[in-house]
Amino acid sequence: MLRGRSLSVTSLSGLPQWEAEKLPVEDLLLFEVSWEVTNKVGGIYTVIQTKAKTTADEWGENYFLIGPYFEHNVKTQVEQCEPMNDAVRKAVDAMNQHGCQVHFGRWLIEGSPYVVLFDIGYSAWNLDRWKGDFWEACNVGIPYNDREANDMLIFGSLTAWFLKEVTDHADGKHVIAQFHEWQAGTGLILSRARKLPIATIFTTHATLLGRYLCAANIDFYNHLDKFNIDKEAGERQIYHRYCMERASVHCAHVFTTVSEITAIEAEHMLKRKPDVITPNGLNVKKFSAVHEFQNLHAMYKARIQDFVRGHFYGHLDFDLEKTLFFFIAGRYEFSNKGADIFLESLSRLNFLLRMHKSNVTAVVFFIMPAKTNNFNVETLKGQAVRKQLWDTVHSMKEKFGKKLYDALLRGEIPDMNDILDRDDLTIMKRAIFSTQRQSLPPVTTHNMIDDSTDPILSTIRRIGLFNNRADRVKVILHPEFLSSTSPLLPMDYEEFVRGCHLGVFPSYYEPWGYTPAECTVMGIPSVTTNLSGFGCFMQEHVADPTAYGIYIVDRRFCSPDDSCNQLTQFLYGFCKQSRRQRIIQRNRTERLSDLLDWRYLGRYYQHARHLTLSRAFPDKFHMEPTSPPATEGFKYPRPSSVPPSPAGSQASTPQSSDVEDENEDERYDEEEEAERDRLNIKSPFSLSHAPRGKKKLHGEYKN
């Protein structure tokens, strides 16, 4: 086996020869195994769901997904049918005849891939026997009281059984099986222990122990090489899970992970350097009209403005046309997701805007689900007051319009005293009085169950961001995922993101980071960090990420205070932009979406499949090993036009949104820039490899 080495003979096109010559997919069967096939738990579901179309287009009828059977998911997502492939059909029939319940069908998503689903509960009677088999295979015991690990053992045992039946009837076809995360890893371990003729890939999206350590607020990246791994796993009572994950990593022919930062983590936590880095992508859909995403931004921004009008009624003394909407969204992990550093930066941003007497206001949304009782009464009242005022204005407008219409038909210029009578003035005065209130606008939209100990609310109290009139930064915690059926903010997440100006995700632990990637695809600038996979990917592929609306905070080599200051400067620089500069920046951000399309990123998975075939079947798929391709082949250039962010071309204080610079028109040619970017994206990618022998840099700070 060609351990730790990569393949390639470089062709004239700049791609390795195996890249230029596609795999003979008609002679192969590809299986992807994950607990999140048709079963949404976390981000892996998004990876598999969005990648399915690209993979199905390439592999056709020879691509299958393997996952668990849950009736409520299958009823709404799967169209059951009979397998067309002989080997798969015989494997399904054989297992069903031996007391299992295996379901087959098409997953109703883009690409409609085939799925093989195992009913875990139906086969649970085999658990004790399969525990013995697993012990004989790798000497790892699973406690009886860890139900999740027991379920994973059943799932893995069924997967290994199924793959054996497939290989027995494959008629000369070679089988590739890719396993995602430790939950699917038991199937890989058992397949290798039984010497099944399959090529295996194991992909970790985040190490199990890494998640636990970061959740405990430990100085993780600065002590990666100092942890006693066995001790840390044992103290958290996950030692058996850690052993399952580590055994999966070392049994696989090829080990991959999703980002460079996770590759460094995996090398220390799992004691194997990843062979290939496979970044996560999205299905990017381009609008036929070039600037349609700008129109969507304007439309959804107006809906957010309506919510803000109601939420801040009685205190709406700021101009909504000069108001920017920032947001952070994701799991409620206060430190891991960077909510702590974000709040501290908002306090400093508020000071800067007030000190410079800025007329720009930033309204910041925290979309992080937490335990609540229900909607906050004061928040609901605000929306009711806004709607009532809107209805009053409309009724008066109709009355006013009718009187004006009649007067003009008579050829008269109407007297305003005739159009607005005493009753109308009384109604307007009552409407004004109804919008007055003594209390401050609430900082949360719901009644929090743990109000006194909630990390976000506790920090807001400490830094004093209570939505006072003098504050230029307003904060709104929305502790629920967004929904178009909400009586408060009736918008889906995608609509809300499109309506905002900036997504802020200063994460400390983020193996990839789908939230900033989704912002990029929608043309919304975002803040990320060099400790997130997305941030590292953008640093590698874009010469000047900031010019393209990707602000990367250094949380790895800076102290916490320096990182906080850097984030504050990013936010303050964004507030200084004119409306035109923000439009230019959104155009550039949206053009980066091609970088995140599975049609491009899928080639990293192709590389992993080539590599695993050459290691599992060296006689059939032998390729000459060489040094890895250079990691610098592709980079978006720095735009030649005026930079849209903090640069020296801007004034020292924030500009009004309608301020324009005459010289900017001469320096910015959007079509020329766009065409250059389109040409650049067609340049050959260099394949990402895990960092080799990278020494730990001193001076890294826990941040």
Side-chain angles (χ1 to χ4, degrees):
M1 292 187 186
L2 307 174
R3 283 283 177 198
R5 306 179 74 180
S6 60
L7 314 168
S8 71
V9 178
T10 304
S11 66
L12 294 175
S13 67
L15 291 173
Q17 195 171 47
W18 53 260
E19 182 91 17
E21 299 173 6
K22 291 187 176 180
L23 279 171
V25 294
E26 65 278 0
D27 298 327
L28 301 168
L29 295 176
L30 173 61
F31 295 89
E32 276 198 73
V33 188
S34 172
W35 187 253
E36 297 197 35
V37 171
T38 76
N39 176 40
K40 185 171 176 60
V41 178
I44 301 171
Y45 176 91
T46 306
V47 175
I48 293 169
Q49 183 197 41
T50 56
K51 186 167 64 68
K53 184 180 188 309
T54 305
T55 313
D57 288 346
E58 180 188 354
W59 287 77
E61 302 290 304
N62 291 351
Y63 174 53
F64 305 87
L65 292 165
I66 298 176
Y69 173 85
F70 293 105
E71 187 175 3
H72 59 282
N73 290 333
V74 171
K75 280 184 176 180
T76 57
Q77 298 184 51
V78 178
E79 179 187 19
Q80 298 201 42
C81 62
E82 288 296 316
M84 299 291 290
N85 184 282
D86 285 342
V88 173
R89 186 181 67 254
K90 290 174 181 176
V92 170
D93 291 343
M95 292 182 70
N96 284 334
Q97 289 169 8
H98 285 84
C100 301
Q101 200 166 81
V102 184
H103 300 262
F104 187 89
R106 284 193 180 273
W107 191 3
L108 300 179
I109 57 174
E110 283 193 88
S112 300
Y114 288 124
V115 290
V116 180
L117 305 175
F118 302 129
D119 191 325
I120 305 300
Y122 200 82
S123 300
W125 58 277
N126 291 295
L127 179 60
D128 288 340
R129 177 166 61 87
W130 286 342
K131 278 189 177 182
D133 293 344
F134 193 63
W135 174 262
E136 290 177 5
C138 59
N139 288 347
V140 175
I142 300 176
Y144 73 93
N145 58 351
D146 187 345
R147 180 170 179 176
E148 184 180 6
N150 286 324
D151 284 348
M152 299 315 151
L153 176 59
I154 298 170
F155 177 53
S157 299
L158 290 168
T159 301
W161 184 355
F162 175 79
L163 291 174
K164 181 184 185 307
E165 295 290 342
V166 168
T167 53
D168 286 347
H169 302 94
D171 292 332
K173 288 190 175 183
H174 293 86
V175 176
I176 303 173
Q178 180 167 6
F179 299 81
H180 292 269
E181 287 291 293
W182 73 274
Q183 290 96 329
T186 50
L188 190 157
I189 297 166
L190 292 169
S191 297
R192 293 284 281 154
R194 294 165 187 172
K195 295 181 169 52
L196 299 187
I198 62 175
T200 57
I201 304 170
F202 183 77
T203 300
T204 182
H205 297 258
T207 68
L208 184 66
L209 188 56
R211 282 197 184 278
Y212 274 85
L213 290 171
C214 285
N217 247 359
I218 284 177
D219 185 359
F220 183 64
Y221 291 101
N222 207 36
H223 291 85
L224 267 177
D225 56 351
K226 299 180 179 67
F227 288 119
N228 183 331
I229 304 297
D230 294 337
K231 176 176 174 290
E232 297 290 351
E235 287 178 350
R236 288 160 179 79
Q237 299 183 9
I238 57 165
Y239 186 68
H240 56 289
R241 295 189 185 191
Y242 166 72
C243 291
M244 293 161 71
E245 180 182 39
R246 184 165 166 177
S248 303
V249 167
H250 288 270
C251 284
H253 291 103
V254 169
F255 172 40
T256 77
T257 189
V258 296
S259 65
E260 183 178 330
I261 195 71
T262 312
I264 296 169
E265 173 189 342
E267 186 178 356
H268 288 92
M269 295 287 111
L270 300 172
K271 308 304 180 186
R272 179 178 175 183
K273 188 180 298 182
D275 300 294
V276 184
I277 292 173
T278 52
N280 291 336
L282 288 162
N283 277 338
V284 178
K285 297 178 182 176
K286 293 287 187 179
F287 295 107
S288 53
V290 178
H291 292 298
E292 180 61 21
F293 76 96
Q294 296 278 15
N295 299 333
L296 291 174
H297 168 71
M299 180 173 71
Y300 293 126
K301 181 180 73 173
R303 288 170 59 177
I304 297 175
Q305 287 175 335
D306 278 343
F307 168 80
V308 169
R309 287 187 180 99
H311 191 82
F312 291 93
Y313 83 94
H315 289 258
L316 200 64
D317 53 356
F318 51 91
D319 187 351
L320 281 175
E321 292 305 313
K322 297 173 184 175
T323 298
L324 303 177
F325 300 131
F326 301 164
F327 80 98
I328 182 173
R331 289 189 300 272
Y332 200 142
E333 297 177 7
F334 184 65
S335 296
N336 280 359
K337 295 299 181 185
D340 51 354
I341 188 176
F342 186 27
L343 280 165
E344 185 60 42
S345 296
L346 290 176
S347 175
R348 300 179 188 188
L349 174 65
N350 187 48
F351 171 77
L352 286 175
L353 294 176
R354 290 177 63 177
M355 184 179 70
H356 288 101
K357 299 186 177 0
S358 170
N359 59 1
V360 173
T361 302
V363 176
V364 185
F365 294 87
F366 287 75
I367 313 296
M368 305 180 92
K371 293 180 180 178
T372 64
N373 284 325
N374 213 323
F375 293 112
N376 186 308
V377 173
E378 189 64 23
T379 305
L380 287 172
K381 181 183 175 184
Q383 299 307 313
V385 168
R386 178 188 64 81
K387 290 175 183 174
Q388 183 182 24
L389 185 59
W390 180 256
D391 293 340
T392 300
V393 169
H394 266 268
S395 63
M396 290 188 64
K397 182 177 73 173
E398 290 179 9
K399 185 178 176 182
F400 176 90
K402 188 175 184 306
K403 288 182 179 180
L404 179 62
Y405 174 68
D406 290 340
L408 293 176
L409 278 178
R410 293 194 300 268
E412 301 173 358
I413 298 297
D415 186 352
M416 293 303 296
N417 292 326
D418 293 335
I419 289 186
L420 290 176
D421 55 29
R422 184 181 294 273
D423 289 343
D424 295 328
L425 292 172
T426 301
I427 291 172
M428 286 193 289
K429 288 177 182 177
R430 290 181 60 184
I432 291 172
F433 289 149
S434 71
T435 61
Q436 305 305 307
R437 68 174 172 191
Q438 302 303 315
S439 61
L440 293 171
V443 295
T444 179
T445 57
H446 292 60
N447 294 321
M448 303 287 287
I449 290 179
D450 299 320
D451 183 289
S452 60
T453 59
D454 181 80
I456 291 178
L457 294 181
S458 298
T459 307
I460 288 173
R461 294 185 191 103
R462 178 177 61 81
I463 62 180
L465 281 181
F466 295 121
N467 295 337
N468 286 303
R469 287 183 183 273
D471 288 333
R472 295 274 54 84
V473 174
K474 318 285 186 181
V475 177
I476 302 173
L477 170 61
H478 188 283
E480 241 183 29
F481 285 128
L482 295 168
S483 168
S484 58
T485 60
S486 168
L488 201 61
L489 185 56
M491 300 178 74
D492 287 330
Y493 177 71
E494 180 179 339
E495 297 171 344
F496 176 79
V497 172
R498 287 192 183 276
C500 288
H501 295 90
L502 182 70
V504 186
F505 314 102
S507 303
Y508 180 71
Y509 185 77
E510 193 71 80
W512 175 247
Y514 258 120
T515 40
E518 288 165 343
C519 285
T520 303
V521 168
M522 294 184 225
I524 302 301
S526 62
V527 177
T528 183
T529 73
N530 59 355
L531 288 181
S532 77
F534 174 81
C536 294
F537 180 81
M538 283 300 172
Q539 277 185 321
E540 181 183 352
H541 289 87
V542 183
D544 183 8
T546 302
Y548 284 90
I550 309 295
Y551 300 89
I552 301 175
V553 177
D554 186 353
R555 294 203 64 182
R556 187 174 176 196
F557 303 114
C558 289
S559 68
D561 190 60
D562 288 343
S563 296
C564 192
N565 284 333
Q566 186 184 20
L567 176 55
T568 304
Q569 288 304 313
F570 283 155
L571 299 178
Y572 182 60
F574 191 85
C575 291
K576 288 164 62 177
Q577 292 180 21
S578 68
R579 181 173 178 272
R580 182 174 181 278
Q581 287 173 320
R582 292 198 301 273
I583 291 173
I584 292 172
Q585 191 178 52
R586 282 198 295 274
N587 286 337
R588 290 175 179 163
T589 303
E590 195 271 342
R591 287 201 296 274
L592 287 184
S593 59
D594 284 341
L595 270 178
L596 302 171
D597 196 328
W598 275 122
R599 287 175 297 175
Y600 294 98
L601 297 183
R603 63 187 67 190
Y604 294 108
Y605 279 82
Q606 292 174 15
H607 176 38
R609 292 168 197 143
H610 275 278
L611 192 55
T612 192
L613 283 170
S614 71
R615 290 178 176 178
F617 310 109
D619 296 334
K620 179 75 174 177
F621 297 93
H622 177 71
M623 295 168 194
E624 182 184 350
T626 66
S627 58
T631 57
E632 291 191 14
F634 174 85
K635 269 203 178 188
Y636 264 99
R638 187 182 189 282
S640 57
S641 61
V642 59
S645 50
S649 62
Q650 298 174 330
S652 60
T653 56
Q655 302 177 18
S656 167
S657 292
D658 54 1
V659 170
E660 299 283 344
D661 184 348
E662 296 292 334
N663 295 328
E664 288 179 7
D665 287 321
E666 300 174 11
R667 300 174 63 188
Y668 175 66
D669 186 335
E670 183 191 334
E671 291 196 3
E672 181 185 329
E673 252 189 36
E675 181 59 29
R676 186 168 64 249
D677 285 348
R678 278 192 291 272
L679 292 173
N680 285 331
I681 195 67
K682 293 174 185 174
S683 300
F685 270 67
S686 59
L687 294 165
S688 283
H689 289 259
R692 296 176 177 273
K694 204 171 194 178
K695 290 185 179 179
K696 179 174 171 57
L697 297 178
H698 295 288
E700 297 187 18
Y701 292 88
K702 159 73 170 101
N703 216 303

